[in-house]
Amino acid sequence: MHGVTAADNSILCTEDYCKNYPGPSDTPCPTLPSRCNKTDPESGIFLASPTPCNCCDFCIGYLNEGDSCSTGEETSDSPSEICGPKLYCDQATLKCRPMMETICTEAQMKYDQDKAQGKIGDYQIRPICDSNGDYVPYHCTPGGICYCVDKDGNRVFGSMDNNGKAAFELPCTCSRNHKEMSAVIGRELHPGEYFRCTQNGAYESLQCIDDQTCLCVDAIDGAPTYKDVAPVEIWAISATTLPCFNSSIYQKEFL
């Protein structure tokens, strides 16, 4: 099932709709940048397309180190190409340059040096950095567990068994945001100041602010999932007032 990007309620997003898209009256799918290759994740980033039901492929190609780039303006069109992972567009030269060393990339270099010298232990793995040079949200120990970490690699709330699926099942967004907000205000957050996190570091779907007003949120970004449903006072919670309420899960806590 695809998401509708147009405001036309007559469009029904089905597999058949996209198989037959574009039709005679539809806008043709845009041509993908030549750099983009679905079989090569390093060639670009594939995103939802600005077409009905996201039927078309849409990609922003990755530029290589030394390629010409543009920092763009607020009024500029969306770019078709950007500097690739661990690269940035140098405003002085308008060329893609390597990012400054981060805690994660420095840890990678240290690991590589130790490995070359035979100093790596059986349970050590090479740190994984994201496109900004920060640690990815999780760290795994061979044969053990995977746990959530902040962008500097420090452990935060959230963990699971190391079953090889941490990239898909350990988002850590709630626990990471909690840590970052604590750093911003300079103290630990009090109950009622933050959303509750699930065991995998995601947002719990039912949230109550100051134990008074409750609402449903998205597990990944914490945004309200039912924007037309007003927050509900905690004493009035039920499956009727809040769609995300599950009495088998929350019975002891709210009933």
Side-chain angles (χ1 to χ4, degrees), residues 214-227:
C214 305
L215 70 162
C216 300
V217 304
D218 182 82
I220 302 302
D221 62 13
T225 49
Y226 297 92
K227 296 181 180 179

Side-chain angles (χ1 to χ4, degrees), residues 73-133:
E73 303 290 341
E74 291 185 0
T75 56
S76 300
D77 294 333
S78 298
S80 60
E81 297 178 323
I82 58 174
C83 294
K86 299 182 178 65
L87 300 175
Y88 76 101
C89 188
D90 187 336
Q91 295 187 21
T93 63
L94 294 183
K95 301 285 185 180
C96 291
R97 302 296 184 198
M99 290 182 177
M100 299 293 290
E101 297 300 335
T102 65
I103 293 176
C104 185
T105 57
E106 288 179 350
Q108 284 183 330
M109 289 189 292
K110 177 66 164 56
Y111 177 94
D112 294 340
Q113 292 171 356
D114 289 345
K115 183 177 181 180
Q117 298 172 11
K119 298 180 180 180
I120 296 300
D122 293 337
Y123 293 97
Q124 287 182 270
I125 64 172
R126 191 174 191 269
I128 305 174
C129 309
D130 62 19
S131 59
N132 293 319

Side-chain angles (χ1 to χ4, degrees), residues 187-209:
R187 62 169 173 79
E188 283 296 314
L189 298 177
H190 300 312
E193 290 184 325
Y194 59 88
F195 286 139
R196 296 185 301 179
C197 306
T198 58
Q199 182 59 40
N200 65 349
Y203 288 89
E204 192 166 309
S205 59
L206 176 61
Q207 300 285 341
C208 294
I209 303 171

Side-chain angles (χ1 to χ4, degrees), residues 196 204 206 234 237-239 244-255:
R196 296 185 301 179
E204 192 166 309
L206 176 61
I234 194 168
I237 287 181
S238 70
C244 62
F245 179 79
N246 186 327
S247 59
S248 63
I249 298 176
Y250 301 111
Q251 184 172 10
K252 292 182 179 181
E253 186 170 356
F254 295 104
L255 298 180

